[in-house]
Amino acid sequence: MTPAVHAFFDEATSTVTYLVRDPEGSACAVFDSVLDFDPASGRTDTRSADAVIDFIRDAGLTLDWVLETHVHADHLSAAPYIQAALGGRIGIGARITEVQRTFGKIFNEGTGFQRDGSQFDRLFADGDSLMIGQMRAEVLHTPGHTPACLTYVIGDAAFVGDTLFMPDFGTARCDFPGGSAEAMWDSIQRILSLPDATRIFVGHDYKAEGRDAHAWETTVGAQKAQNRHIGAGRSREAFVALRQARDATLAMPRLILPSLQVNMRAGRMPEPEDNGVSYLKLPLNSL
Ligand SMILES: [Fe+2]
């Protein structure tokens, strides 16, 4: 089975949103949508999400799922906005509860913030599956970047989120709370055990040095042979050392504090205060 995949690239956050459709029918799913956000003004904008919504409407598709590979730390999710426009169910990994406990503490959330994942319509565990029309998507729990990261495998296509990036860029960081370079190595081995021809769609592209254009599609075979962090026989120990050394040099993503507060609520803003305005917090010296 070869699902049709359309990519929408967000320059501001280097995020790739994917629309996956059943080539035999009209059902589709959206992975990792983006709500545009300007931190200087505190303004949100829906042009990225509207491009996805317009595409789905123009093609006459039915949106079954609005899926997240994980709680993103670099962009706000537009899942509730897209769901309000087109329907569909919002899904994420079952270990979101762990992420909600961690960040509920960091943001000093009160009892109004549920840590049970109930903000999402469906929580997926390893081995679960879901249907997009007649297409079955298999869920792999692939922790490492975060404890709740998922990879969705649909026919010959795997949506790996922030686990593997393009071979010339490598892998995602593992130094957020609950991240683990060891777990990422093990997760990557599971992804690489898929057939070599499996198409891999990565969650971000930052244009590796020497490459002029963005790219987001590769294969299991190409990753095994060429990935600069894990390819060509690198050992688990060597990967963990390399990953941890590199993570120690990375600054926090520009939108991490707004993103986490919104995405741990399935993309919804915190409850408005008595003046009708929602506020995001900046915890000082906490991350
Ligand atoms: Fe991420």
Side-chain angles (χ1 to χ4, degrees):
M1 188 202 5
T2 305
V5 180
H6 302 269
F8 301 81
F9 186 74
D10 175 43
E11 288 282 348
T13 64
S14 303
T15 301
V16 197
T17 296
Y18 294 104
L19 177 118
V20 183
R21 60 176 293 191
D22 180 352
E24 309 290 320
S26 61
C28 70
V30 169
F31 290 91
D32 294 338
S33 62
V34 173
L35 182 71
D36 307 297
F37 180 65
D38 173 33
S41 62
R43 273 206 170 269
T44 61
D45 191 280
T46 59
R47 64 184 179 280
S48 293
D50 288 331
V52 178
I53 291 169
D54 290 349
F55 183 99
I56 293 173
R57 285 204 175 121
D58 291 348
L61 304 177
T62 308
L63 182 62
D64 285 357
W65 292 98
V66 193
L67 299 170
E68 305 286 355
T69 53
H70 63 291
V71 170
H72 307 279
D74 48 35
H75 69 271
L76 280 60
S77 167
Y81 177 75
I82 293 175
Q83 182 184 52
L86 297 174
R89 285 188 286 166
I90 300 175
I92 200 165
R95 283 178 63 188
I96 174 74
T97 54
E98 201 173 304
V99 176
Q100 288 177 324
R101 279 198 301 274
T102 301
F103 291 105
K105 216 173 269 166
I106 288 176
F107 291 107
N108 196 29
E109 299 289 348
T111 50
F113 175 62
Q114 302 289 324
R115 276 91 159 159
D116 59 1
S118 55
Q119 300 88 340
F120 297 82
D121 299 313
R122 173 102 186 255
L123 301 180
F124 298 110
D126 189 61
D128 282 351
S129 64
L130 60 125
M131 297 303 290
I132 305 165
Q134 298 305 307
M135 299 191 301
R136 181 178 298 277
E138 308 283 350
V139 175
L140 300 182
H141 177 222
T142 48
H145 174 61
T146 79
C149 285
L150 299 182
T151 291
Y152 298 88
V153 181
I154 310 169
D156 76 337
F159 298 87
V160 301
D162 298 3
T163 301
L164 289 161
F165 291 139
M166 291 302 283
D168 58 3
F169 194 87
T171 57
R173 65 195 299 171
C174 295
D175 60 333
F176 296 150
S180 158
E182 290 87 353
M184 174 166 279
W185 171 269
D186 298 338
S187 294
I188 288 172
Q189 301 315 307
R190 292 189 68 197
I191 295 169
L192 297 184
S193 70
L194 295 167
D196 276 1
T198 305
R199 294 180 289 162
I200 289 193
F201 294 92
V202 302
H204 293 286
D205 184 62
Y206 304 100
K207 262 193 219 163
E209 247 180 81
R211 175 150 56 81
D212 293 337
H214 281 293
W216 42 77
E217 179 180 346
T218 175
T219 63
V220 164
Q223 293 284 13
K224 276 189 202 162
Q226 296 155 19
N227 187 289
R228 59 179 296 179
H229 291 169
I230 51 103
R234 193 184 296 270
S235 70
R236 187 177 193 264
E237 292 65 34
F239 167 75
V240 169
L242 176 148
R243 188 65 263 170
Q244 289 173 346
R246 180 165 159 74
D247 287 348
T249 70
L250 299 176
M252 281 293 141
R254 197 170 58 97
L255 297 182
I256 186 169
L257 293 169
S259 298
L260 291 171
Q261 288 172 85
V262 173
N263 295 340
M264 71 186 189
R265 295 177 160 85
R268 293 182 189 88
M269 300 299 159
E271 279 299 306
E273 298 196 3
D274 57 10
N275 60 358
V277 177
S278 286
Y279 291 82
L280 295 171
K281 293 180 176 178
L282 285 182
L284 296 178
N285 305 313
S286 293
L287 278 191

